[in-house]
Amino acid sequence: MSGNFPKAVLNTLFVVAGITSAGSLLADTLVNDPLFIAGSYKCTGYDSHDGAFKGDLTFAVDDRVSNFAQGFGAYKFKLEVPLDGATATYSGIAAAQGHLLAMYFANDSQSAATDRGVGITVVSRDQDNKGQYSTTLHKSYYLPDYMGGGRGTETCVKIAGS
C-alpha cells in the first residue's frame, strides 16, 4: 500500500486521536475526584442556636483510602464561619458513597469542646443552559452537645474552577 491514505481514513484517524486525547485528559481529571466533591464552596445555612450564617468550605480528597472504582470517596474538609466578630473554624472528615456524604465535624477552638456534630449531605451536580456544571451540597446536621443539643441546615455551592 502506498503512503497515500484515502481522505476518509485520515479524517477518521484524526477524530479517533482527538477523542482518545480528550478522553485521556478527562480521565486524568476524574481520577483525582470522579465524584466532583473536592474544591472550594460558598455556604449559607441556618443553625438552631446561632441563626443564619455564611461560610467558606474547602474539601480535599483523601487518596489513601478512597476507592472510586467502588463509588467511595474519603475527604477532609474545613469550614470557616464568621461568628461574633471572630472566625470559627470547623475541621472534619466525610465519607461519600455516590451522591451521599456522611460527615463528622468539630470546632477547632479549645474553648468549644462541645461544638461538634454529624451531618448527612446530598450532592447534586447540575448543568446550566451553557453546558457548565456546578456542584451543590445540601446538608442537615446534628450537634448533640452544643448548647444542650442543636441542629441546622446548610447549602454550599462550589466555586467555579475549584
Side-chain angles (χ1 to χ4, degrees):
M1 184 169 184
S2 72
N4 295 328
F5 289 101
K7 190 174 183 178
V9 170
L10 285 175
N11 286 343
T12 302
L13 288 174
F14 286 128
V15 169
V16 169
I19 290 171
T20 302
S21 295
S24 176
L25 179 62
L26 183 59
D28 288 345
T29 301
L30 297 181
V31 167
N32 291 336
D33 185 25
L35 300 177
F36 300 101
I37 295 168
S40 299
Y41 295 79
K42 290 290 184 185
C43 303
T44 58
Y46 188 84
D47 183 89
S48 62
H49 293 292
D50 297 323
F53 66 89
K54 292 183 179 189
D56 296 313
L57 176 68
T58 305
F59 263 90
V61 174
D62 186 342
D63 290 319
R64 296 173 302 121
V65 293
S66 292
N67 185 343
F68 292 118
Q70 298 296 314
F72 175 79
Y75 298 86
K76 294 180 180 180
F77 65 90
K78 187 168 292 238
L79 174 66
E80 294 179 333
V81 179
L83 289 176
D84 300 324
T87 299
T89 302
Y90 296 85
S91 295
I93 54 175
Q97 184 69 46
H99 291 96
L100 295 177
L101 276 173
M103 302 174 72
Y104 170 80
F105 57 92
N107 189 317
D108 291 346
S109 171
Q110 294 295 330
S111 64
T114 62
D115 192 2
R116 62 183 183 275
V118 296
I120 186 164
T121 301
V122 176
V123 180
S124 65
R125 184 152 165 80
D126 301 306
Q127 187 177 29
D128 66 15
N129 59 359
K130 295 179 184 175
Q132 300 298 312
Y133 284 93
S134 64
T135 301
T136 304
L137 309 177
H138 304 277
K139 179 173 109 179
S140 295
Y141 60 87
Y142 165 56
L143 303 145
D145 302 317
Y146 182 63
M147 298 175 73
R151 66 193 175 292
T153 59
E154 188 176 333
T155 299
C156 301
V157 179
K158 193 171 192 180
I159 298 170
S162 71

